[in-house]
Amino acid sequence: MSAVRIAVVGLGMIGGSVARRFAPDHDVRVWDTDPGTRQAAERAGLHVVRGLDDHDADVVVVATPLDAMPTVLSGLSTGNGPLVTDVGSVKVPVLAAARAAGLDGRYVGGHPMAGVERSGFAAADPELLAGAVWVLTLEEDTDLAGWLTVAELVTAAGGRVLPTTAAAHDEAQARISGLPHLLATALAVAGGTGGPLAGALAAGSFRDGTRVAGTRPELIAALCDGNRVALAGVLDETLAELTRARDALAGGGTVLPLATVGHTARRTWVEATPAVGVTLDRDTPGLRDELLALGTAGGTLDAVTPHQLHARRPDVSGAPGTGRLRP
């Protein structure tokens, strides 16, 4: 696609990765409140500005912590300003803040599904986003033309766009991100209370199960607290499963039923589902609904051209897998 003027506000791991991913092909300008981070970004070759002037951008990417996003969004022009997207891990509160700021249809919620347990600009890596699923939320009041512009920007940079609503994203995020962070921290606490002997015995399963507990505590709290309703419901489901296992152990029974269901679910998830190619015309009637149906099915947009959208969706004709798509 043609070069776009992009402003990235916030240069943590994801914001820095986004800026570095887009910089070779676009006019990228960045800003962060931390002087040390700004200096590191300059050393990395990014164009650091003194402050955000949204009239100098076509797209603004808000990559600040979640609690700072309402302030940043309210500071953006509500006139004929740029498209605004973000990289927040929770979408319903940010959507509400964007609407409160008067951004209306110009806001496109975003969440690149990538990252590591480290944080800050030092952890930024443009390769984190290579081939990553990148959620872009599509609401009834989202300007479809603007949404497609952001989608084109992401796919041109090698991302795979998954269209969904903010509410649907947050429910799924509670299951595959919020809950794993809580379980990892609980596992880390359980291992830690086992003393030196437990530490000496800990091997791969404990390491893998606790990896994301290495994330900064305030980031875990923001991820979970920002999605408290959906996460509380998913946590109730999980606690019920664990309670059944505990009761079985206490009563002389077996955890085999839970282990069997979990084994099957895990195998189903890791076995990639065959994909079929789908082409949509940009002027297709009901395109918004078609895109949301694609995302609900686990499909993604891989390319956006001036006239067509090239996607892949799971081929459910006899394939048991429901995990990542394969061609």
Side-chain angles (χ1 to χ4, degrees):
M1 66 182 302
S2 301
V4 174
R5 299 174 303 168
I6 303 172
V8 180
V9 185
L11 295 173
M13 174 189 62
I14 294 297
S17 298
V18 169
R20 295 180 65 186
R21 186 78 186 178
F22 287 152
D25 301 312
H26 301 282
D27 178 6
V28 175
R29 304 181 183 193
V30 301
W31 168 254
D32 192 279
T33 58
D34 178 63
T37 298
R38 296 198 299 270
Q39 292 173 2
E42 285 184 331
R43 290 193 295 269
L46 294 175
H47 181 184
V48 180
V49 295
R50 293 180 177 272
L52 174 64
D53 183 350
D54 60 5
H55 291 290
D56 288 336
D58 301 306
V59 178
V60 175
V61 181
V62 182
T64 64
L66 284 168
D67 60 359
M69 285 189 181
T71 300
V72 174
L73 292 171
S74 66
L76 295 173
S77 169
T78 57
N80 295 320
L83 290 167
V84 178
T85 187
D86 73 302
V87 297
S89 57
V90 182
K91 299 270 60 80
V92 170
V94 185
L95 174 63
R99 286 172 171 166
L103 295 174
D104 298 321
R106 291 197 292 111
Y107 168 72
V108 177
H111 183 196
M113 303 305 296
V116 294
E117 66 273 17
R118 295 176 290 114
S119 59
F121 186 77
D125 180 358
E127 289 306 307
L128 282 176
L129 303 172
V133 171
W134 195 312
V135 171
L136 291 181
T137 61
L138 184 58
E139 313 295 332
E140 290 184 358
D141 60 348
T142 304
D143 177 68
L144 186 55
W147 189 94
L148 289 170
T149 296
V150 179
E152 183 178 3
L153 182 67
V154 169
T155 55
R160 297 185 292 126
V161 169
L162 191 150
T164 189
T165 64
H169 166 276
D170 284 6
E171 201 280 335
Q173 185 264 21
R175 296 179 182 277
I176 55 83
S177 184
L179 181 64
H181 278 81
L182 287 181
L183 294 179
T185 57
L187 286 173
V189 170
T193 57
L197 175 60
L201 296 178
S205 60
F206 186 77
R207 180 194 63 239
D208 294 344
T210 59
R211 180 182 66 82
V212 294
T215 305
R216 281 168 39 202
E218 58 270 27
L219 296 181
I220 295 177
L223 172 72
C224 296
D225 296 348
N227 197 19
R228 62 181 70 244
V229 175
L231 183 53
V234 172
L235 191 56
D236 282 341
E237 293 179 18
T238 306
L239 289 172
E241 295 284 357
L242 293 175
T243 297
R244 281 191 286 271
R246 189 273 316 276
D247 291 346
L249 292 171
T254 176
V255 299
L256 181 60
L258 175 60
T260 301
V261 172
H263 178 76
T264 301
R266 168 67 179 174
R267 287 193 60 183
T268 300
W269 180 78
V270 299
E271 292 174 2
T273 305
V276 293
V278 179
T279 300
L280 299 171
D281 292 333
R282 289 180 72 137
D283 58 358
T284 297
L287 180 59
R288 188 185 307 264
D289 292 338
E290 291 278 356
L291 289 169
L292 290 174
L294 175 72
T296 299
T300 58
L301 288 180
D302 294 341
V304 177
T305 69
H307 302 290
Q308 292 182 320
L309 314 178
H310 300 282
R312 50 179 165 166
R313 72 166 74 239
D315 181 2
V316 296
S317 58
T322 58
R324 299 166 188 259
L325 294 176
R326 62 178 169 84

